[in-house]
Amino acid sequence: MTGPVRVLVADDQTLLRDSFRVLLDATPGFAVVGEAGTGRETVRLALDRRPHVVLMDVSMPDMTGIEATAEICRQTSDVRVLILTTFDLDEYVYAALRAGASGFLLKDATAADLVAAIRVVAAGDALLAPSVTRRLIAAFGAQPRPSHVFHRTLAGVTDREREILTLIARGLSNTDIAGHLTLSLATVKSHVGRLLTKLHARDRAQLVVVAYETGLVTAAN
């Protein structure tokens, strides 16, 4: 992208919004393009101002952060959502991924972690640490299998791509996957790009969802 990373801050606590704005406005390469205190206001501003990243609190008045994420992702293809969470309620993680979130950040993260996380998501990658994906697998494995058939399947995905998709769902980075499979980084990136296209996924986070919901990855493996 060219120019600064455009960020929309969404949190129902004014003090937190002010803190995030002060931090980002003081950081070169960032521009806060709006603040929202409710879910509906977040959706409206996201559609109007088209930030690169929405910093989204889960608990919001009138529309939850997850509902707002789903609406933003339904109506845009270029706005990324970074969820702010305490991880006290793990079910939010899976629901947010299903809604289209590109990553998660703990509310007690350091300023440096916040800046780094926004950069990662703005660049089109997903912020899913291995510890997060392990918790996600465990939470998903404990739930009953959905009664409906997931709209995406793994038809057309090669054996190598399935292998890479499994490793993505376990939280490995492209560099980790390259080392694990003894492939070049460029080759891994090429496979990931084909997976995104074949599975109609917005980003790496959505590949994780596909891996879980098609049964490729379970809590047991």
Side-chain angles (χ1 to χ4, degrees), residues 150-202:
F150 188 50
H151 72 281
R152 284 176 288 199
T153 70
L154 296 181
V157 175
T158 67
D159 290 342
R160 175 61 86 184
E161 288 166 353
R162 284 173 180 257
E163 192 173 16
I164 288 175
L165 181 57
T166 300
L167 296 176
I168 289 173
R170 289 176 179 167
L172 273 67
S173 67
N174 286 350
T175 301
D176 294 333
I177 294 171
H180 184 79
L181 298 179
T182 318
L183 298 172
S184 71
L185 184 58
T187 297
V188 172
K189 288 181 178 179
S190 179
H191 282 303
V192 172
R194 285 195 288 271
L195 281 168
L196 290 168
T197 299
K198 289 181 178 180
L199 298 175
H200 308 290
R202 285 172 60 95

Side-chain angles (χ1 to χ4, degrees), residues 33-117:
V33 297
E35 298 178 39
T38 71
R40 295 189 190 283
E41 185 182 14
T42 302
V43 173
R44 181 181 63 79
L45 289 176
L47 298 180
D48 179 56
R49 302 184 185 180
R50 292 301 176 109
H52 297 117
V53 178
V54 178
L55 195 58
M56 179 84 76
D57 185 24
V58 169
S59 180
M60 301 270 280
D62 74 32
M63 176 185 281
T64 69
I66 293 172
E67 291 170 335
T69 296
E71 189 63 21
I72 290 168
C73 293
R74 185 181 69 81
Q75 297 196 51
T76 72
S77 60
D78 56 346
V79 177
R80 307 284 179 176
V81 178
L82 177 60
I83 296 287
L84 289 167
T85 179
T86 60
F87 275 151
D88 287 337
L89 298 173
D90 284 337
E91 63 265 28
Y92 284 160
V93 178
Y94 182 69
L97 277 181
R98 282 294 311 273
S102 294
F104 304 89
L105 187 70
L106 291 174
K107 276 198 169 184
D108 61 357
T110 66
D113 287 340
L114 173 65
V115 169

Side-chain angles (χ1 to χ4, degrees), residues 130-153:
S131 60
V132 174
T133 54
R134 282 196 297 269
R135 292 174 70 131
L136 183 57
I137 292 171
F140 182 70
Q143 298 173 357
R145 295 296 294 173
S147 58
H148 65 280
V149 177
F150 188 50
H151 72 281
R152 284 176 288 199
T153 70

